[in-house]
Amino acid sequence: MPQALLMDQRSLEGFCPVAAAFEQLAQQDSADARGAIYTRREVVEFMLDLVGYTPDQPLHQKKLLEPSFGGGEFLLGAVRRLMQSTQLAGYPGDLAHCIRAVELHRSTFDATRAALCTLLSEFGLAPSECSRLASAWLVCDDFLLSPMHEHFDVVVGNPPYVRQELIPAALLAQYRQRYSTLYDRADLYVPFIERSLNLLTEHGQLAFICANRWTKNQYGRPLRAKVAEGFHLRAYVDMVDTPAFDTDVIAYPAITLIEKAAPGATLVAAQPDLHAATLTRLAQALRGDQPRPELGVSLVDRVSTGDEPWVLSSSDQRALLRRLEALYPTLEEAGCKVGIGVATGADKAFIGPMDALDVEPSRKLALVTTKDIASGVVRWRGLGVINPFEDDGRLADLAQYPKLRAHLEFHHDVIARRHVAQKSPASWYRTIDRITPSLAARPKLLIPDIKGSAHVVFEEGWLYPHHNLYFVVSDAWELRALQAVLLSCVARQFITAYSTTMHGGFLRYQAQYLRRIRLPRWESVSEPMRARLAMAAQALDLAACDQAACELYGLTPAEAHLLAQAQG
């Protein structure tokens, strides 16, 4: 029984749901379900260098924590350095206080313990001493619940990637009680960071490699606020398209070096070359306090401001961004509305060829998907979506629509299995998102969620967007002119600053990021500029869109050149 759950177990007679949940995870065979993603050796060595845990230092005087040691990449690397350091220093004392390492999964724990004992024996330790140190250093428990009263000079590792829906409900409830950063739909690595920060000594340092979503997304707000209030983000290494792990991941990771110290400027690097000599030089540079352009290291001031998303672009780009934010209203303040298309939860039941959907004409709408706009203009492929809602938002009465009723009942099993149907059985046939038919008839701009280059498509007003498309409508701005602005390097600068980036350099064009775009009010735009913008959009002339937008926002030639460079 794990230490953290002994009290829970003793306080209940018979079944303890938290203990049962622990056992479920401790015995989990699937690495994906456990969030187990293993880090390459070169990256491990780089991160140990980054926190200054090097053999030339008196490491026996430091205390290191690895909160989720898995296969032991960080643990074994740290132990190897600790043993080398003690040999160099001639330190003969006890090392039991030097390391704490935690792992939940039982068979992984056993395998790594065996590897640790083998490593220690290679440094000449007797089997009994190997076993003693392994017992002192390693804890088989849930890091988020395990009692831990000491503090650490170094916390390093790769916390687990586990979505909330994969965590047993009883365990998730315990986590939520203990960790304020487990907010919204935060992944499990977020409370791992929170607890690790809380366990740092004064001037202690944390180096984690994990998904970068928390630095930008809604669910990262409490953790960003915590870092801004009491810590210094010393270094940030963007690992876009860098093979940091033994397996590929869709959302690329970042390495953060956070010190328990007063906030200050941050050294930023990106896409490091994973050769050992290069990484050694980079780690030395990132432990300093000056930019090193020859190593791709820039210095960025005030990355962490309250709970705001981290903006890690160059100082010049940040200055331009802040100037535009001070001068212009947001997209929605300027009279535009951002939304997302319909999610049905059962596309095979709700979506099909428009002509083949055998329901009343008022119960279906022509549907536009990302494939329909892949060319940059709308080329409808003929799909439609079942509409179970009346124009006033009420769910349609199936007694009034016999064809709709027959279609839905034919697909009843698939539709009723959805969470939204089980939550409200009386409304079992609703789509996840309410369909508003008037949206189909409204001209709109369509924007795919994930894309590598500017892709904003004008739709004249007869198609309803699918859930992987965001839309922008406006009663203030003329949509062709707005299309040119959203296609431009100016709009992309806002998205780049605030969006997470996916594998391959693709940006997320989600509503929360689109709403960050600043836009002049339509009445302030001259007639000649309105015409230029509309013409550039209709021609899909991106260079003309950039040029017109830069003039619209009053950018200097140097600022326009800066954006052009940023777009590559």
Side-chain angles (χ1 to χ4, degrees):
M1 179 61 60
Q3 299 171 21
L5 301 180
L6 285 174
M7 186 172 296
D8 293 321
Q9 182 70 18
R10 290 167 183 160
S11 66
L12 296 175
E13 293 184 4
F15 179 67
C16 173
V18 177
F22 176 91
E23 285 300 315
Q24 177 182 334
L25 291 181
Q27 302 291 345
Q28 178 62 255
D29 289 332
S30 169
D32 289 341
R34 301 197 314 273
I37 299 175
Y38 296 136
T39 312
R40 285 180 54 175
R41 174 85 178 264
E42 301 93 325
V43 176
V44 169
E45 299 298 332
F46 167 66
M47 291 174 62
L48 290 170
D49 286 347
L50 194 59
V51 293
Y53 200 82
T54 53
D56 61 322
Q57 298 297 311
L59 299 184
H60 61 277
Q61 297 177 6
K62 294 181 179 290
K63 297 177 72 172
L64 177 143
L65 169 67
E66 214 289 38
S68 180
F69 64 72
E73 294 89 353
F74 289 94
L75 170 64
L76 299 178
V79 169
R80 188 176 293 107
R81 291 178 177 219
L82 173 62
M83 300 307 296
Q84 292 168 349
S85 171
T86 58
Q87 289 180 345
L88 288 172
Y91 176 72
D94 190 5
L95 300 176
H97 65 285
C98 294
I99 288 177
R100 293 291 180 272
V102 185
E103 173 56 40
L104 169 63
H105 190 243
R106 197 157 288 133
S107 64
T108 300
F109 177 93
D110 292 340
T112 303
R113 179 190 167 101
L116 173 61
C117 288
T118 299
L119 175 61
L120 291 173
S121 69
E122 293 173 0
F123 282 91
L125 274 62
S128 60
E129 180 65 1
C130 295
S131 180
R132 186 187 72 84
L133 287 177
S135 296
W137 290 345
L138 306 188
V139 180
C140 187
D141 205 349
D142 182 340
F143 172 68
L144 295 180
L145 300 179
S146 181
M148 198 165 290
H149 306 295
E150 53 194 330
H151 287 74
F152 298 90
D153 305 296
V154 173
V155 182
V156 65
N158 173 10
Y161 298 65
V162 183
R163 299 190 306 275
Q164 287 187 25
E165 54 266 32
L166 298 178
I167 303 171
L171 209 52
L172 184 59
Q174 285 285 313
Y175 295 159
R176 286 196 181 280
Q177 288 179 15
R178 298 180 184 222
Y179 299 103
S180 61
T181 61
L182 193 55
Y183 168 74
D184 196 39
R185 298 190 58 79
D187 285 0
L188 198 62
Y189 66 80
V190 169
F192 262 74
I193 297 173
E194 177 186 348
R195 189 173 197 203
S196 297
L197 291 174
N198 289 339
L199 292 172
L200 287 176
T201 59
E202 197 65 29
H203 296 291
Q205 297 182 71
L206 174 148
F208 270 175
I209 181 168
C210 64
N212 66 356
R213 294 185 185 96
W214 73 276
T215 69
K216 304 279 190 180
N217 274 5
Q218 176 77 5
Y219 71 60
R221 286 177 56 192
L223 184 54
R224 291 196 298 270
K226 181 179 182 66
V227 173
E229 288 166 7
F231 297 88
H232 177 197
L233 177 64
R234 289 194 56 186
Y236 183 94
V237 184
D238 191 335
M239 302 295 281
V240 58
D241 291 335
T242 303
F245 302 118
D246 290 335
T247 56
D248 289 336
V249 294
I250 295 175
Y252 69 76
I255 295 170
T256 51
L257 176 63
I258 303 173
E259 181 178 1
K260 188 174 182 181
T266 302
L267 289 166
V268 178
Q271 294 180 280
D273 184 340
L274 296 187
H275 288 92
T278 303
L279 290 175
T280 298
R281 290 194 299 272
L282 180 60
Q284 291 172 347
L286 292 173
R287 288 191 59 76
D289 59 4
Q290 296 296 322
R292 294 285 300 277
E294 73 278 11
L295 295 176
V297 176
S298 59
L299 185 66
V300 180
D301 191 29
R302 298 184 62 201
V303 167
S304 184
T305 306
D307 65 3
E308 284 292 293
W310 290 358
V311 178
L312 294 144
S313 49
S314 72
S315 296
D316 289 343
Q317 291 171 354
R318 282 168 55 88
L320 173 57
L321 188 76
R322 298 300 184 224
R323 184 170 77 80
L324 296 180
E325 288 177 335
L327 287 174
Y328 299 105
T330 65
L331 189 70
E332 293 194 326
E333 289 171 344
C336 306
K337 178 185 175 182
V338 180
I340 190 170
V342 60
T344 70
D347 282 358
K348 290 184 179 179
F350 284 96
I351 295 173
M354 186 73 169
D355 295 340
L357 291 174
D358 188 17
V359 297
E360 290 78 7
S362 65
R363 298 299 93 208
K364 59 183 177 180
L365 294 164
L367 184 76
V368 58
T369 71
T370 54
K371 291 182 179 179
D372 295 312
I373 64 170
S375 65
V377 296
V378 176
R379 291 195 171 93
W380 185 51
R381 296 177 304 128
L383 292 180
V385 61
I386 298 292
N387 175 22
F389 291 93
E390 299 288 6
D391 291 352
D392 62 4
R394 292 181 299 109
L395 205 58
D397 181 357
L398 296 184
Q400 298 182 26
Y401 301 101
K403 288 187 175 183
L404 174 64
R405 180 174 185 172
H407 177 91
L408 294 173
E409 289 183 345
F410 179 79
H411 295 281
H412 178 274
D413 290 347
V414 172
I415 296 173
R417 279 200 301 267
R418 301 170 304 150
H419 175 72
V420 68
Q422 294 178 3
K423 184 178 179 181
S424 302
S427 305
W428 65 274
Y429 55 93
R430 64 160 293 154
T431 49
I432 294 176
D433 302 309
R434 182 169 69 86
I435 291 177
T436 306
S438 59
L439 175 61
R442 189 171 184 181
K444 63 191 77 71
L445 300 177
L446 300 172
I447 306 170
D449 178 358
I450 302 174
K451 57 198 185 80
S453 58
H455 201 68
V456 180
V457 178
F458 176 77
E459 195 279 300
E460 61 191 19
W462 61 284
L463 295 171
Y464 203 91
H466 196 216
H467 72 89
N468 51 5
L469 286 174
Y470 290 91
F471 65 84
V472 180
V473 293
S474 181
D475 291 325
W477 266 74
E478 194 278 314
L479 285 185
R480 282 296 192 181
L482 181 60
Q483 181 186 13
V485 175
L486 296 183
L487 283 168
S488 75
C489 59
V490 181
R492 186 175 174 85
Q493 173 66 12
F494 284 95
I495 299 296
T496 301
Y498 290 110
S499 167
T500 56
T501 309
M502 307 300 286
H503 191 61
F506 288 81
L507 294 171
R508 302 297 302 271
Y509 275 70
Q510 295 176 323
Q512 61 182 310
Y513 308 131
L514 290 167
R515 293 186 179 112
R516 290 270 182 178
I517 295 172
R518 299 299 175 123
L519 184 69
R521 298 191 186 277
W522 181 244
E523 57 268 24
S524 71
V525 183
S526 69
E527 288 295 339
M529 176 57 72
R530 292 177 180 185
R532 280 183 64 190
L533 290 167
M535 187 178 302
Q538 287 174 328
L540 292 179
D541 186 338
L542 298 185
C545 290
D546 286 348
Q547 186 175 10
C550 287
E551 292 183 29
L552 172 69
Y553 284 86
L555 269 58
T556 66
E559 289 172 333
H561 179 68
L562 180 68
L563 290 189
Q565 284 185 316
Q567 308 309 313

